[in-house]
Structure formats: structure tokens, C-alpha cells
Amino acid sequence: MKMNIALYQALVSINISEDRAKAVVDALEADMTSHLATKMDLRELELKLTIRMGVMLSAAVGVIIAAMRFM
């Protein structure tokens, strides 16, 4: 929120109309909330990737052990 106020004040200080400055801040806020990942999003992704890698590693070890038994 502080960044939005600072951006708004910076735009107004360089003679951008208040309406246009508000539109820029609103557009930026909308993009930031819909397109950027939060820390929680990254934690969830990390957990999913960790589980997926664990399953893949277990499957690979199982295949190797099975192949060794047939040799």
C-alpha cells in the first residue's frame, strides 16, 4: 500500500493529472494481485515439486532394483 501512495505522489509531482495517476496505480495494483506470485504461492509450488521429485526418485530406485534382480 505504501508503494501505491508513493507512486501516486510521484506521478502527481511530475504534473500527471490526479485521475490518470489513480488509473496507473489501480492498474498496477490489479496486475500485481492477479499476475505475481505471493510467498504462499511459492511455498505451495515448492511443496508440490518436492513431493513430485520424491515420487520420481522412488520410482527410479524401484526400476533400478527390479532391473538388478533380473540380471
Side-chain angles (χ1 to χ4, degrees):
M1 188 62 152
K2 291 181 183 180
M3 183 190 72
N4 293 349
I5 294 170
L7 177 60
Y8 174 82
Q9 290 172 343
L11 290 171
V12 171
S13 73
I14 58 169
N15 296 325
I16 303 294
S17 71
E18 290 185 11
D19 292 341
R20 288 188 179 190
K22 185 177 182 325
V24 168
V25 170
D26 289 343
L28 179 65
E29 185 176 3
D31 278 349
M32 288 176 66
T33 57
S34 64
H35 293 103
L36 297 179
T38 63
K39 288 181 181 179
M40 186 59 81
D41 294 335
L42 295 177
R43 285 190 193 121
E44 288 177 15
L45 180 63
E46 180 182 5
L47 178 62
K48 288 179 184 178
L49 289 175
T50 301
I51 291 170
R52 184 176 292 167
M53 288 300 294
V55 169
M56 290 171 57
L57 181 61
S58 298
V61 169
V63 167
I64 291 170
I65 290 172
M68 290 174 66
R69 285 189 180 179
F70 287 115
M71 293 177 94

